[in-house]
Amino acid sequence: MPGGWAGSSRRRRLPGNWEQLRAAAHRRNPAHICHVCGRPGGDQLDHKVRGDDHRLENLDWIHTNVPPYCHRYKSSREGNAAKKRVSIKRPKEQHPGMGS
Ligand SMILES: [Zn+2]
């Protein structure tokens, strides 16, 4: 199925029956209990064990774009490929000639 994937570098090597797996995972876990924090409301289906195991047993929900962003922590543990944060420290302006 081409189209609609542009700009999403996160999705890779998903199986062709992904939508079916999603639906099955939803039926199995309608509250979308997150497999990382154990709370409901996971917005994305995630591989519990990273790799090519796309069986339903290896898939469960996770908080990705909603708090507490469990996927972010998981990813940062596995590699910093998605790390893009740059902390900008604003230097304090000095006024050497201050004081009159
Ligand atoms: Zn979670």
Side-chain angles (χ1 to χ4, degrees):
M1 289 187 273
W5 292 48
S8 177
S9 56
R10 173 173 287 157
R11 293 191 176 207
R12 50 190 172 170
R13 297 204 299 180
L14 292 183
N17 63 338
W18 184 248
E19 289 305 318
Q20 290 172 38
L21 287 168
R22 259 187 78 96
H26 173 75
R27 279 197 302 272
R28 183 186 63 178
N29 182 358
H32 293 193
I33 305 280
C34 170
H35 75 91
V36 174
C37 70
R39 280 178 278 186
D43 63 322
Q44 197 181 59
L45 199 56
D46 183 49
H47 293 83
K48 289 195 273 191
V49 176
R50 215 175 177 89
D52 293 322
D53 187 356
H54 300 306
R55 288 173 305 160
L56 190 56
E57 297 85 71
N58 190 41
L59 299 170
D60 222 336
W61 299 94
I62 192 169
H63 295 104
T64 295
N65 296 307
V66 295
Y69 305 107
C70 302
H71 195 268
R72 186 178 296 176
Y73 298 125
K74 185 173 176 255
S75 299
S76 66
R77 229 174 34 220
E78 289 170 349
N80 292 324
K83 202 174 181 181
K84 266 191 180 170
R85 277 239 172 126
V86 183
S87 70
I88 300 168
K89 262 194 181 170
R90 200 173 283 172
K92 268 190 182 170
E93 273 187 52
Q94 301 281 352
H95 294 279
M98 221 168 72
S100 51

XYZ file of all heavy atoms in Angstrom:
802
model
N 0.830 -1.210 0.000
C 0.000 0.000 0.000
C 0.859 1.252 0.000
O 1.335 1.662 1.066
C -0.851 0.053 1.252
C -1.952 -0.932 1.325
S -2.931 -0.550 2.793
C -2.055 -1.445 4.041
N 1.097 1.807 -1.130
C 1.895 3.043 -1.143
C 1.054 4.243 -0.747
O -0.171 4.207 -0.815
C 2.355 3.141 -2.603
C 1.326 2.409 -3.374
C 0.690 1.401 -2.464
N 1.730 5.266 -0.358
C 1.022 6.495 -0.021
C 0.697 6.598 1.437
O 0.419 5.611 2.101
N 0.742 7.791 1.944
C 0.360 8.021 3.320
C 1.460 7.753 4.317
O 1.281 7.973 5.497
N 2.593 7.311 3.872
C 3.664 6.985 4.795
C 4.762 8.040 4.790
O 5.697 7.948 5.550
C 4.279 5.621 4.456
C 3.338 4.500 4.698
C 2.044 4.439 4.288
C 3.593 3.290 5.418
N 1.494 3.261 4.716
C 2.405 2.548 5.393
C 4.721 2.781 6.068
C 2.318 1.304 6.003
C 4.637 1.541 6.655
C 3.432 0.805 6.634
N 4.605 8.968 3.895
C 5.660 9.963 3.750
C 5.850 10.735 5.047
O 4.888 11.080 5.713
C 5.318 10.911 2.625
N 7.076 10.972 5.358
C 7.368 11.767 6.540
C 7.393 10.958 7.808
O 7.751 11.454 8.848
N 7.036 9.702 7.734
C 7.058 8.886 8.939
C 8.237 7.929 8.873
O 8.154 6.875 8.272
C 5.744 8.110 9.065
O 5.807 7.271 10.197
N 9.313 8.330 9.470
C 10.496 7.480 9.428
C 10.455 6.431 10.526
O 11.271 5.544 10.572
C 11.757 8.330 9.583
O 11.668 9.080 10.776
N 9.488 6.592 11.407
C 9.424 5.665 12.516
C 8.931 4.296 12.060
O 9.375 3.280 12.541
C 8.484 6.229 13.578
C 8.229 5.279 14.691
C 7.443 5.953 15.770
N 8.263 6.908 16.503
C 7.774 7.928 17.188
N 6.497 8.121 17.205
N 8.557 8.741 17.841
N 8.014 4.331 11.104
C 7.455 3.065 10.651
C 8.415 2.374 9.708
O 8.766 2.878 8.673
C 6.144 3.325 9.914
C 5.089 3.833 10.838
C 3.781 3.812 10.118
N 2.725 4.215 11.041
C 1.471 3.814 10.914
N 1.143 3.027 9.934
N 0.567 4.207 11.752
N 8.813 1.214 10.103
C 9.674 0.462 9.209
C 9.417 -1.011 9.416
O 9.198 -1.474 10.509
C 11.134 0.794 9.487
C 11.427 0.668 10.948
C 12.762 1.196 11.324
N 12.838 1.182 12.781
C 13.932 1.396 13.472
N 15.030 1.646 12.869
N 13.909 1.347 14.772
N 9.464 -1.704 8.327
C 9.340 -3.153 8.328
C 8.097 -3.645 9.055
O 8.145 -4.625 9.783
C 10.587 -3.762 8.973
C 11.827 -3.439 8.170
C 12.889 -4.442 8.411
N 13.301 -4.501 9.802
C 14.227 -5.327 10.255
N 14.784 -6.180 9.425
N 14.578 -5.329 11.508
N 7.014 -2.947 8.858
C 5.778 -3.460 9.421
C 5.190 -4.480 8.458
O 5.270 -4.311 7.257
C 4.782 -2.317 9.640
C 5.171 -1.317 10.730
C 4.081 -0.285 10.889
C 5.418 -2.023 12.049
N 4.621 -5.510 9.014
C 4.058 -6.552 8.160
C 2.823 -6.070 7.422
O 2.181 -5.097 7.812
C 3.709 -7.667 9.143
C 3.498 -6.961 10.448
C 4.431 -5.781 10.437
N 2.476 -6.760 6.352
C 1.339 -6.350 5.542
C 0.014 -6.474 6.261
O -0.950 -5.800 5.909
N -0.011 -7.329 7.271
C -1.273 -7.512 8.001
C -1.297 -6.692 9.285
O -1.974 -7.040 10.243
C -1.484 -8.994 8.316
C -0.392 -9.530 9.240
O 0.688 -8.958 9.323
N -0.670 -10.623 9.915
N -0.540 -5.607 9.260
C -0.422 -4.792 10.475
C -1.774 -4.325 10.984
O -2.036 -4.356 12.185
C 0.484 -3.606 10.187
C 0.758 -2.765 11.392
C 0.331 -1.495 11.616
C 1.529 -3.123 12.543
N 0.792 -1.044 12.838
C 1.520 -2.024 13.429
C 2.216 -4.291 12.914
C 2.181 -2.048 14.659
C 2.861 -4.307 14.143
C 2.852 -3.204 14.998
N -2.627 -3.892 10.054
C -3.943 -3.398 10.477
C -4.749 -4.500 11.146
O -5.481 -4.252 12.099
C -4.702 -2.829 9.274
C -4.120 -1.512 8.758
C -4.024 -0.454 9.861
O -4.976 -0.331 10.653
O -2.993 0.237 9.932
N -4.595 -5.719 10.651
C -5.291 -6.834 11.289
C -4.741 -7.094 12.683
O -5.482 -7.374 13.630
C -5.136 -8.099 10.443
C -5.902 -8.045 9.136
C -5.553 -9.241 8.259
O -5.365 -10.345 8.753
N -5.473 -9.007 6.950
N -3.424 -7.005 12.782
C -2.809 -7.205 14.092
C -3.254 -6.134 15.067
O -3.545 -6.395 16.227
C -1.278 -7.178 13.954
C -0.665 -8.402 13.292
C 0.795 -8.141 12.940
C -0.779 -9.627 14.186
N -3.313 -4.916 14.563
C -3.795 -3.804 15.383
C -5.204 -4.075 15.895
O -5.502 -3.889 17.068
C -3.813 -2.520 14.554
C -2.655 -1.594 14.803
C -2.889 -0.303 14.060
N -3.836 0.538 14.766
C -3.498 1.511 15.604
N -2.237 1.773 15.805
N -4.408 2.229 16.211
N -6.049 -4.511 14.979
C -7.436 -4.773 15.349
C -7.513 -5.905 16.370
O -8.273 -5.835 17.347
C -8.239 -5.126 14.104
N -6.684 -6.932 16.159
C -6.681 -8.060 17.086
C -6.173 -7.627 18.453
O -6.708 -8.028 19.496
C -5.818 -9.190 16.528
N -5.146 -6.793 18.445
C -4.590 -6.312 19.713
C -5.607 -5.440 20.436
O -5.681 -5.438 21.664
C -3.305 -5.532 19.454
N -6.378 -4.724 19.667
C -7.408 -3.881 20.264
C -8.504 -4.729 20.898
O -8.991 -4.427 21.987
C -7.996 -2.958 19.206
C -9.179 -2.167 19.707
N -9.034 -1.098 20.560
C -10.515 -2.310 19.487
C -10.247 -0.609 20.834
N -11.151 -1.318 20.211
N -8.856 -5.802 20.213
C -9.891 -6.687 20.765
C -9.385 -7.348 22.041
O -10.119 -7.535 23.007
C -10.274 -7.754 19.740
C -11.262 -7.263 18.703
C -11.920 -8.423 17.974
N -10.947 -9.282 17.322
C -10.495 -9.084 16.083
N -10.917 -8.065 15.374
N -9.617 -9.904 15.556
N -8.109 -7.710 22.030
C -7.549 -8.400 23.180
C -7.384 -7.449 24.370
O -7.477 -7.842 25.525
C -6.168 -8.973 22.795
C -5.519 -9.779 23.894
C -4.121 -10.180 23.506
N -3.260 -9.014 23.327
C -1.972 -9.073 23.020
N -1.411 -10.241 22.828
N -1.263 -7.980 22.872
N -7.125 -6.193 24.066
C -6.798 -5.229 25.110
C -7.503 -3.912 24.792
O -6.876 -2.937 24.394
C -5.270 -5.058 25.132
C -4.814 -4.101 26.224
O -5.624 -3.524 26.947
N -3.516 -3.926 26.327
N -8.827 -3.895 24.958
C -9.621 -2.743 24.526
C -9.259 -1.457 25.258
O -9.471 -0.365 24.738
C -11.064 -3.151 24.848
C -11.022 -4.620 25.102
C -9.645 -4.942 25.584
N -8.718 -1.588 26.450
C -8.351 -0.390 27.203
C -6.971 0.113 26.802
O -6.532 1.149 27.267
C -8.380 -0.680 28.698
N -6.313 -0.650 25.933
C -4.961 -0.299 25.485
C -4.013 -0.109 26.673
O -3.319 0.895 26.788
C -4.976 0.976 24.615
C -5.668 0.772 23.307
N -5.569 1.682 22.279
C -6.461 -0.217 22.867
C -6.296 1.249 21.244
N -6.843 0.104 21.589
N -4.016 -1.102 27.542
C -3.104 -1.060 28.680
C -1.669 -1.039 28.166
O -1.266 -1.904 27.401
C -3.303 -2.309 29.572
C -4.765 -2.439 30.002
C -2.355 -2.263 30.760
C -5.187 -1.569 31.133
N -0.946 -0.061 28.597
C 0.438 0.107 28.149
C 1.318 -0.976 28.766
O 1.270 -1.200 29.971
C 0.910 1.498 28.553
S 2.658 1.771 28.321
N 2.126 -1.621 27.930
C 2.933 -2.729 28.444
C 4.169 -2.230 29.189
O 4.914 -3.014 29.772
C 3.316 -3.690 27.316
C 4.397 -3.184 26.407
N 5.726 -3.423 26.618
C 4.334 -2.449 25.272
C 6.435 -2.862 25.652
N 5.624 -2.263 24.830
N 4.393 -0.935 29.172
C 5.529 -0.396 29.911
C 5.107 0.053 31.305
O 5.688 -0.336 32.309
C 6.168 0.786 29.146
C 7.254 1.455 29.986
C 6.760 0.286 27.831
N 4.060 0.863 31.365
C 3.678 1.428 32.663
C 2.447 0.756 33.253
O 2.135 0.983 34.413
C 3.454 2.934 32.539
S 1.976 3.368 31.597
N 1.745 -0.054 32.459
C 0.609 -0.778 32.990
C -0.661 0.046 33.104
O -1.644 -0.406 33.678
N -0.644 1.253 32.562
C -1.836 2.078 32.609
C -2.530 2.083 31.259
O -1.878 1.906 30.229
C -1.461 3.515 33.010
C -1.258 3.644 34.495
C -0.850 5.045 34.859
N 0.586 5.217 34.646
C 1.251 6.319 35.003
N 0.615 7.326 35.533
N 2.542 6.402 34.811
N -3.840 2.312 31.245
C -4.569 2.303 29.975
C -4.277 3.551 29.149
O -3.687 4.514 29.637
C -6.035 2.270 30.414
C -6.041 2.841 31.792
C -4.709 2.496 32.408
N -4.700 3.497 27.903
C -4.633 4.689 27.068
C -3.471 4.710 26.090
O -3.182 5.741 25.501
N -2.810 3.580 25.910
C -1.723 3.531 24.939
C -2.248 3.845 23.539
O -3.299 3.374 23.145
N -1.526 4.672 22.818
C -2.017 5.119 21.514
C -1.336 4.412 20.364
O -1.668 4.632 19.217
C -1.839 6.635 21.373
C -0.377 7.037 21.417
O 0.370 6.438 22.201
O 0.004 7.942 20.666
N -0.377 3.554 20.656
C 0.315 2.889 19.563
C 0.623 1.448 19.929
O 0.860 1.126 21.093
C 1.615 3.628 19.243
C 2.167 3.254 17.880
C 3.472 3.976 17.589
O 4.433 3.842 18.313
N 3.477 4.761 16.534
N 0.640 0.629 18.897
C 0.981 -0.769 19.093
C 2.496 -0.917 18.980
O 3.107 -0.430 18.039
C 0.269 -1.606 18.029
C 0.116 -3.101 18.294
C -0.589 -3.343 19.625
C -0.679 -3.734 17.176
N 3.067 -1.593 19.949
C 4.522 -1.643 20.020
C 5.003 -3.080 20.096
O 4.297 -3.962 20.556
C 4.972 -0.874 21.273
C 6.476 -0.822 21.395
O 7.131 -0.475 20.399
O 6.987 -1.151 22.473
N 6.225 -3.302 19.628
C 6.844 -4.608 19.779
C 7.453 -4.703 21.171
O 8.302 -3.899 21.534
C 7.939 -4.807 18.731
C 7.418 -4.892 17.334
N 7.122 -3.771 16.585
C 7.116 -5.956 16.553
C 6.676 -4.157 15.403
N 6.646 -5.469 15.348
N 7.054 -5.689 21.912
C 7.592 -5.844 23.258
C 9.062 -6.242 23.175
O 9.893 -5.762 23.924
C 6.791 -6.878 24.040
C 5.410 -6.350 24.382
C 4.755 -7.194 25.449
C 4.018 -8.357 24.816
N 3.152 -9.044 25.792
N 9.353 -7.144 22.268
C 10.740 -7.499 21.999
C 11.065 -6.983 20.603
O 10.417 -7.359 19.621
C 10.956 -9.027 22.072
C 12.389 -9.369 21.703
C 10.617 -9.546 23.458
N 12.026 -6.126 20.539
C 12.357 -5.502 19.268
C 12.836 -6.542 18.259
O 13.574 -7.448 18.608
C 13.475 -4.477 19.494
C 13.359 -3.283 18.615
C 14.442 -2.289 18.999
N 14.404 -1.134 18.127
C 13.667 -0.060 18.365
N 12.916 -0.023 19.432
N 13.689 0.969 17.547
N 12.388 -6.382 17.040
C 12.821 -7.316 16.016
C 11.723 -7.587 15.023
O 10.853 -6.749 14.798
N 11.775 -8.747 14.439
C 10.847 -9.081 13.375
C 9.719 -9.973 13.845
O 9.037 -10.592 13.052
C 11.598 -9.772 12.237
C 12.553 -8.812 11.558
O 12.185 -7.629 11.412
O 13.655 -9.226 11.200
N 9.548 -10.062 15.121
C 8.484 -10.893 15.651
C 7.192 -10.086 15.682
O 6.937 -9.328 16.597
C 8.848 -11.358 17.066
C 7.828 -12.361 17.587
O 6.832 -12.614 16.880
O 8.025 -12.881 18.693
N 6.412 -10.256 14.618
C 5.187 -9.471 14.509
C 3.967 -10.250 14.970
O 2.844 -9.915 14.628
C 4.970 -9.020 13.060
C 6.090 -8.178 12.541
N 6.537 -7.055 13.179
C 6.856 -8.314 11.435
C 7.529 -6.527 12.475
N 7.750 -7.271 11.429
N 4.200 -11.289 15.732
C 3.049 -12.029 16.222
C 2.335 -11.223 17.298
O 2.954 -10.408 17.991
C 3.495 -13.375 16.799
C 3.941 -14.364 15.747
C 4.512 -15.580 16.417
N 5.576 -15.174 17.341
C 6.015 -15.927 18.338
N 5.476 -17.092 18.563
N 6.991 -15.506 19.121
N 1.086 -11.522 17.439
C 0.268 -10.778 18.399
C 0.842 -10.890 19.812
O 0.749 -9.956 20.598
C -1.167 -11.324 18.347
C -2.224 -10.522 19.117
C -2.250 -9.071 18.658
C -3.581 -11.164 18.929
N 1.477 -12.021 20.099
C 2.015 -12.217 21.448
C 3.133 -11.216 21.747
O 3.442 -10.941 22.894
C 2.569 -13.641 21.619
C 1.528 -14.734 21.485
C 1.322 -15.116 20.028
O 2.223 -15.740 19.444
O 0.266 -14.779 19.471
N 3.748 -10.746 20.702
C 4.864 -9.813 20.908
C 4.429 -8.361 20.769
O 5.252 -7.457 20.812
C 5.986 -10.119 19.908
C 7.254 -9.338 20.245
O 7.617 -9.212 21.412
N 7.900 -8.781 19.245
N 3.147 -8.158 20.598
C 2.667 -6.799 20.384
C 1.787 -6.359 21.543
O 1.000 -7.136 22.055
C 1.864 -6.720 19.079
C 2.635 -7.071 17.816
C 1.682 -7.187 16.640
C 3.697 -6.036 17.525
N 1.978 -5.136 21.924
C 1.090 -4.578 22.937
C 1.117 -3.055 22.840
O 1.972 -2.481 22.190
C 1.498 -5.034 24.329
C 0.269 -5.391 25.156
O -0.825 -4.873 24.837
O 0.403 -6.181 26.097
N 0.190 -2.465 23.541
C 0.030 -1.019 23.419
C 1.053 -0.274 24.265
O 1.546 -0.778 25.250
C -1.391 -0.638 23.813
C -2.377 -1.283 22.911
C -3.010 -2.469 23.127
C -2.801 -0.823 21.631
N -3.811 -2.762 22.040
C -3.705 -1.769 21.120
C -2.494 0.304 20.871
C -4.303 -1.625 19.877
C -3.095 0.453 19.633
C -3.991 -0.508 19.145
N 1.283 0.942 23.827
C 2.260 1.768 24.525
C 1.882 3.238 24.371
O 1.234 3.617 23.391
C 3.681 1.503 23.971
C 4.737 2.141 24.875
C 3.815 2.022 22.532
C 6.149 1.695 24.544
N 2.255 4.028 25.349
C 2.043 5.472 25.247
C 3.171 6.060 24.408
O 4.328 6.070 24.833
C 2.067 6.109 26.635
C 0.944 5.661 27.519
N 1.114 4.758 28.537
C -0.363 6.009 27.519
C -0.060 4.568 29.148
N -0.967 5.301 28.555
N 2.805 6.529 23.242
C 3.835 7.091 22.358
C 3.730 8.601 22.261
O 4.673 9.320 22.552
C 3.724 6.479 20.953
O 4.017 5.092 21.038
C 4.724 7.132 20.005
N 2.564 9.068 21.872
C 2.387 10.511 21.709
C 1.513 11.117 22.790
O 1.080 12.261 22.682
C 1.788 10.805 20.329
C 2.724 10.388 19.217
O 3.886 10.768 19.182
N 2.231 9.576 18.305
N 1.240 10.308 23.789
C 0.446 10.795 24.919
C 1.236 10.522 26.194
O 2.031 9.601 26.247
C -0.931 10.098 24.971
C -1.756 10.460 23.743
C -0.770 8.598 25.088
N 1.027 11.338 27.219
C 1.731 11.105 28.486
C 1.405 9.727 29.029
O 0.291 9.271 28.840
C 1.192 12.208 29.407
C 0.496 13.178 28.526
C 0.131 12.475 27.270
N 2.330 9.049 29.705
C 3.681 9.520 30.063
C 4.766 9.183 29.044
O 5.935 9.077 29.422
C 3.929 8.799 31.382
C 3.162 7.530 31.271
C 1.987 7.796 30.383
N 4.412 9.059 27.789
C 5.393 8.917 26.702
C 6.362 7.754 26.927
O 7.575 7.903 26.809
C 6.189 10.207 26.528
C 5.336 11.417 26.303
C 5.168 12.370 27.293
C 4.674 11.594 25.085
C 4.353 13.476 27.090
C 3.875 12.691 24.879
C 3.717 13.637 25.880
O 2.928 14.731 25.678
N 5.797 6.619 27.251
C 6.645 5.472 27.573
C 7.555 5.073 26.410
O 8.662 4.596 26.625
C 5.773 4.290 27.962
S 4.715 4.679 29.353
N 7.060 5.242 25.205
C 7.865 4.812 24.059
C 9.152 5.609 23.959
O 10.185 5.094 23.545
C 7.052 4.963 22.770
C 7.648 4.228 21.614
N 8.527 4.817 20.747
C 7.504 2.940 21.199
C 8.881 3.927 19.830
N 8.289 2.789 20.076
N 9.071 6.855 24.348
C 10.263 7.705 24.292
C 11.348 7.164 25.211
O 12.500 7.066 24.849
C 9.866 9.119 24.709
C 10.979 10.107 24.563
C 10.499 11.483 24.938
N 9.463 11.968 24.048
C 8.815 13.119 24.217
N 9.103 13.870 25.248
N 7.903 13.505 23.370
N 10.949 6.783 26.397
C 11.928 6.255 27.343
C 12.495 4.937 26.858
O 13.676 4.686 26.958
C 11.276 6.073 28.711
C 10.785 7.368 29.292
C 9.467 7.514 29.686
C 11.645 8.449 29.415
C 9.006 8.704 30.200
C 11.190 9.644 29.924
C 9.869 9.771 30.322
O 9.416 10.948 30.821
N 11.586 4.123 26.327
C 12.013 2.830 25.833
C 13.019 3.007 24.716
O 14.052 2.369 24.681
C 10.782 2.075 25.330
C 11.061 0.668 24.909
C 9.746 -0.037 24.592
C 10.006 -1.430 24.081
N 9.816 -1.557 22.644
N 12.704 3.912 23.797
C 13.578 4.137 22.661
C 14.926 4.678 23.106
O 15.964 4.281 22.592
C 12.938 5.120 21.686
O 11.725 4.593 21.217
N 14.897 5.584 24.044
C 16.152 6.194 24.448
C 17.042 5.183 25.145
O 18.249 5.328 25.197
C 15.892 7.384 25.362
O 15.325 6.942 26.571
N 16.408 4.136 25.669
C 17.212 3.102 26.285
C 17.860 2.220 25.232
O 18.955 1.717 25.411
C 16.328 2.247 27.190
C 16.927 2.067 28.563
C 15.990 1.354 29.509
N 15.158 0.352 28.889
C 13.875 0.176 29.205
N 13.330 0.938 30.097
N 13.157 -0.753 28.630
N 17.164 2.076 24.128
C 17.650 1.145 23.118
C 18.588 1.805 22.126
O 19.228 1.173 21.331
C 16.458 0.540 22.373
C 15.686 -0.425 23.243
C 14.390 -0.830 22.589
O 14.029 -0.201 21.578
O 13.752 -1.755 23.086
N 18.640 3.076 22.129
C 19.470 3.764 21.167
C 18.995 5.188 21.021
O 17.827 5.464 21.206
N 19.869 6.045 20.685
C 19.518 7.448 20.670
C 19.302 7.975 19.267
O 19.568 9.130 18.976
C 20.601 8.263 21.377
C 20.636 7.961 22.858
O 19.595 7.741 23.473
N 21.811 7.931 23.431
N 18.819 7.104 18.406
C 18.620 7.503 17.013
C 17.635 8.652 16.915
O 17.763 9.524 16.066
C 18.130 6.318 16.201
N 16.653 8.643 17.802
C 15.612 9.652 17.701
C 15.940 10.885 18.528
O 15.143 11.801 18.619
C 14.284 9.064 18.144
N 17.089 10.872 19.096
C 17.460 11.974 19.974
C 17.782 13.215 19.152
O 18.694 13.222 18.359
C 18.662 11.577 20.800
C 18.810 12.393 22.067
C 19.947 11.807 22.893
C 20.124 12.565 24.182
N 21.226 12.010 24.963
N 17.030 14.213 19.370
C 17.237 15.423 18.582
C 17.257 16.657 19.457
O 17.429 17.750 18.960
C 16.128 15.559 17.546
C 16.522 14.950 16.194
C 15.537 15.331 15.136
C 15.935 14.722 13.793
N 14.889 14.884 12.803
N 17.085 16.440 20.704
C 17.010 17.581 21.602
C 18.346 18.305 21.703
O 19.379 17.694 21.906
C 16.601 17.102 22.986
C 15.114 16.942 23.077
C 14.578 17.822 24.170
N 13.109 17.809 24.134
C 12.367 17.500 25.184
N 12.932 17.194 26.307
N 11.075 17.516 25.092
N 18.264 19.557 21.567
C 19.452 20.374 21.773
C 19.141 21.357 22.876
O 18.187 22.115 22.794
C 19.828 21.136 20.492
C 21.116 21.911 20.711
C 19.960 20.190 19.313
N 19.922 21.294 23.880
C 19.682 22.239 24.958
C 20.463 23.517 24.685
O 21.667 23.502 24.497
C 20.105 21.629 26.288
O 21.498 21.524 26.343
N 19.725 24.539 24.599
C 20.351 25.824 24.301
C 20.496 26.621 25.585
O 19.508 26.991 26.208
C 19.510 26.620 23.289
C 19.385 25.813 21.995
C 20.149 27.977 23.018
C 18.350 26.372 21.043
N 21.700 26.820 25.930
C 21.946 27.626 27.119
C 22.206 29.058 26.696
O 23.086 29.334 25.897
C 23.158 27.075 27.880
C 22.738 26.185 29.016
C 23.892 25.925 29.951
C 23.440 24.999 31.075
N 24.564 24.539 31.876
N 21.381 29.893 27.210
C 21.547 31.282 26.845
C 22.591 31.924 27.766
O 22.408 31.951 28.979
C 20.209 32.003 27.000
C 20.162 33.291 26.218
C 18.775 33.864 26.273
N 17.855 33.157 25.370
C 16.550 33.392 25.366
N 16.031 34.258 26.175
N 15.776 32.746 24.542
N 23.668 32.377 27.188
C 24.685 32.996 28.049
C 24.170 34.278 28.661
O 23.464 35.044 28.015
C 25.844 33.275 27.077
C 25.218 33.332 25.733
C 24.013 32.435 25.779
N 24.532 34.447 29.877
C 24.108 35.670 30.543
C 24.853 36.861 29.963
O 26.062 36.816 29.768
C 24.407 35.572 32.043
C 23.243 35.023 32.804
C 23.467 35.176 34.296
C 22.294 34.578 35.051
N 22.574 34.493 36.489
N 24.103 37.841 29.688
C 24.754 39.020 29.123
C 25.531 39.770 30.203
O 25.015 40.044 31.278
C 23.697 39.938 28.497
C 23.411 39.546 27.057
C 22.503 40.564 26.392
O 22.814 41.757 26.446
O 21.487 40.132 25.829
N 26.707 40.009 29.847
C 27.549 40.721 30.795
C 27.655 42.185 30.376
O 27.724 42.500 29.203
C 28.951 40.118 30.810
C 28.951 38.656 31.189
C 28.806 38.452 32.693
O 28.845 39.413 33.469
N 28.631 37.214 33.099
N 27.648 42.970 31.327
C 27.836 44.402 31.060
C 29.050 44.873 31.832
O 28.950 45.315 32.973
C 26.592 45.195 31.481
C 25.408 44.855 30.645
N 25.193 45.386 29.391
C 24.366 44.029 30.867
C 24.074 44.901 28.889
N 23.554 44.064 29.767
N 30.180 44.689 31.199
C 31.417 44.998 31.927
C 31.493 46.458 32.349
O 32.072 46.781 33.384
C 32.533 44.689 30.926
C 31.879 44.275 29.668
C 30.397 44.332 29.819
N 30.896 47.297 31.550
C 31.061 48.713 31.876
C 29.932 49.246 32.739
O 29.664 50.430 32.743
N 29.257 48.311 33.394
C 28.093 48.750 34.149
C 28.468 49.534 35.408
O 29.551 49.349 35.953
C 27.241 47.546 34.523
C 25.763 47.794 34.373
S 24.824 46.266 34.487
C 24.949 45.858 36.195
N 27.569 50.305 35.814
C 27.809 51.103 37.015
C 28.234 52.520 36.634
O 29.141 52.706 35.845
N 27.551 53.461 37.156
C 27.868 54.821 36.773
C 28.295 55.671 37.963
O 27.969 55.375 39.077
C 26.685 55.480 36.090
O 25.523 55.352 36.851
Zn 2.735 3.726 29.348
